[in-house]
Amino acid sequence: MSDCLVIGGGVIGLMSARMLAISGAKVTLIDQRECGKESSWAGGGIISPLYPWHYDDLTNDLSFESQAVYEGLCDDLYHSSGIDPQYQKSGLLMMDEFETVEAQSWMKRYQVSYEDHVNGALFTHVASVRNPKLLQALKVDIINKGVTIVENTPADKLIINNNKVLGVNTTKGDFFADNIVACAGAWSGKLLDIKDDVFPIKGQMILLKAQIGDVEHIVLDQGRYIIPRADGRILVGSTMENVGFDRSLDETTKLSLYEFASELFPVLSSAEIEHHWSGFRPASRSGKVILGKSEKYDNLFINTGHFRNGLNMAPASADKITQLVNEKI
Ligand SMILES: Cc1cc2nc3c(=O)[nH]c(=O)nc-3n(C[C@H](O)[C@H](O)[C@H](O)COP(=O)(O)OP(=O)(O)OC[C@H]3O[C@@H](n4cnc5c(N)ncnc54)[C@H](O)[C@@H]3O)c2cc1C
């Protein structure tokens, strides 16, 4: 049985740890704070790229592969953990862009169609999950599967010997493993020397306390979106800010997200803003997901750079990285 050390307990690390454990590896996962409290928690949970034709083939392939398994995965997680990730196929109503040549050729290529809607195109196949619940469920599930989780333990440096990564130095001592799987999200560029650098793109989001039925579908217009949760709450997002690791929130953004939502759905103008937060999407310079074996070290695997689509691509990314780790053995 091989030992695997997963660095980072966001959705990518948790799902990678899960698949590695299922494949028979002895897995330890370390996180610099608590698992599932960074970008994966901050995200919206839409299980599709917003405008899929803006992305490359790998992103689309990983998205479709993940979409095919998400509902079953959420059922399994619910049974294993008792926590419901609230997968719901509410459909995505796109109000702009769907008539462009790019969009139409993407739909033809991937055989995706939409229903005509008075306000745009309704992509009925699109679902969402309540990502904080998904993360809680994943954490319980992987513990049930034998994964050791060590939190509040930042990996400071890789321990290298003879062109092999032996493990990592942390404030709580050194961790050693046969294989290292780095899933450090927006912090990946700090930990690893990756050619295609990874950096944070901040996104701010608000949560409205609305009523069930106020908004039926996920709605997307001019890059902003509204996501209905099962209990009636509504998420409204989001910004794209290249400001480094600055978590600060601003009132102008909060108000502008609120106005966007209440102009589309006047019923929301009386909804209370319950929460306002930010998170750091892991962006790569090339705009591509970084998923594979490191160029330098045979036993270092990297799963990051998922940018706006990590929740969406996580199951297929975890599957691929597990296959690569196992091919090596
Ligand atoms: C506002 C917003 C909305 C979004 N909406 C969506 C959406 O609707 N759908 C979608 O698919 N995606 C969405 N995303 C993107 C998605 O959230 C990310 O792509 C995804 O969460 C990335 O997952 P991750 O595990 O790589 O990163 P993270 O969740 O950030 O996890 C990385 C983990 O690594 C840990 N870590 C970092 N460095 C170290 C270290 N040195 N040692 C130990 N631990 C370390 C961190 O503490 C963290 O827990 C959104 C993001 C934001 C911010």
Side-chain angles (χ1 to χ4, degrees), residues 7-13 30-34 36 38-40 42-46 153-155 183-185 187 191 203 205 225 238 279-282 306-312:
I7 305 171
V11 72
I12 300 298
I30 61 172
D31 197 287
Q32 62 187 2
R33 47 186 298 216
E34 242 183 278
E38 292 289 359
S39 187
S40 305
I46 304 172
T153 305
C183 309
W187 295 263
L191 179 70
M205 190 100 101
Y225 50 81
S238 108
F280 301 124
R281 304 175 184 94
H306 295 77
F307 192 38
R308 305 192 83 173
N309 295 301
L311 289 153
N312 158 38

Side-chain angles (χ1 to χ4, degrees), residues 147-314:
V147 174
T148 303
I149 296 181
V150 187
E151 297 184 312
N152 303 308
T153 305
D156 290 332
K157 225 167 115 239
L158 302 177
I159 305 168
I160 315 278
N161 189 18
N162 280 337
N163 280 332
K164 200 173 173 248
V165 184
L166 302 182
V168 293
N169 298 126
T170 81
T171 45
K172 292 192 184 156
D174 297 341
F175 286 75
F176 297 98
D178 300 327
N179 294 301
I180 314 293
V181 182
C183 309
W187 295 263
S188 301
K190 289 188 173 184
L191 179 70
L192 307 165
D193 177 19
I194 319 178
K195 213 196 284 168
D196 188 2
D197 191 24
V198 181
F199 59 98
I201 292 289
K202 177 166 119 181
Q204 295 186 51
M205 190 100 101
I206 59 169
L207 180 72
L208 300 179
K209 191 169 183 194
Q211 305 299 316
I212 294 174
D214 282 352
V215 176
E216 195 183 348
H217 310 294
I218 302 162
V219 180
L220 173 63
D221 188 28
Q222 294 174 46
R224 292 202 159 176
Y225 50 81
I226 297 175
I227 309 169
R229 295 298 197 213
D231 63 3
R233 287 186 165 79
I234 306 280
L235 268 81
V236 190
S238 108
T239 56
M240 295 273 278
E241 303 170 57
N242 192 352
V243 292
F245 289 98
D246 166 12
R247 289 185 198 270
S248 63
L249 304 170
D250 68 86
E251 287 300 308
T252 314
T253 298
K254 182 173 161 184
L255 192 64
S256 125
L257 292 170
Y258 185 61
E259 280 171 0
F260 163 73
S262 47
E263 271 166 27
L264 281 179
F265 295 92
V267 67
L268 298 180
S269 57
S270 57
E272 175 200 341
I273 303 177
E274 268 192 332
H275 199 21
H276 176 201
W277 67 89
S278 67
F280 301 124
R281 304 175 184 94
S284 66
R285 295 275 165 224
S286 68
K288 293 181 193 302
V289 178
I290 304 169
L291 175 57
K293 192 155 64 159
S294 119
E295 285 177 6
K296 276 195 187 160
Y297 308 109
D298 222 26
N299 66 331
L300 172 65
F301 298 84
I302 304 171
N303 196 1
T304 191
H306 295 77
F307 192 38
R308 305 192 83 173
N309 295 301
L311 289 153
N312 158 38
M313 293 192 277

Side-chain angles (χ1 to χ4, degrees), residues 79-95:
H79 284 121
S80 156
S81 68
I83 301 166
D84 183 0
Q86 298 181 21
Y87 175 94
Q88 45 174 16
K89 210 181 235 179
S90 42
L92 182 145
L93 172 61
M94 196 177 292
M95 297 178 65

Side-chain angles (χ1 to χ4, degrees), residues 129-141:
V129 290
R130 193 161 189 156
N131 36 309
K133 296 277 180 205
L134 174 78
L135 296 158
Q136 287 168 18
L138 273 167
K139 193 172 160 185
V140 174
D141 176 65

